[in-house]
Amino acid sequence: RTGTLGTPDFLFAINGQACALEVKFGQGRLREDQERAIAAMRANGWRVAVVHSFEEYVAFLKEVDAA
C-alpha cells in the first residue's frame, strides 16, 4: 500500500511496464483524488486497473504480461 491519498493501493512492474492496482470491494467507487491520480498515471504510460474481484485482478495481470 502506498499511503498517499489518491494513489492506487499497489504499485509494481511487469516486464518493465509500470502498473498500479486500486482494489475496491462490493460497489466501492473511486474518489475524485483517485480518479485524478489514475488519469495522470495513465497519461504517463502506466497500466492501471480498478478491480473488484480476484478474477479481475488475474485478468489484468495476464493482459499486461501478454503485451
Side-chain angles (χ1 to χ4, degrees), residues 11-59:
L11 307 175
F12 56 96
I14 297 177
N15 299 328
Q17 171 65 62
C19 300
L21 276 175
E22 176 63 33
V23 179
K24 294 293 182 187
F25 295 96
Q27 298 298 318
R29 296 182 180 209
L30 294 174
R31 298 185 316 266
E32 285 185 35
D33 59 334
Q34 291 174 315
E35 290 177 358
R36 285 191 302 273
I38 289 171
M41 293 173 88
R42 286 180 173 150
N44 283 291
W46 285 66
R47 298 289 299 269
V48 183
V50 178
V51 298
H52 293 86
S53 68
F54 180 73
E55 291 78 15
E56 289 178 357
Y57 160 75
V58 170

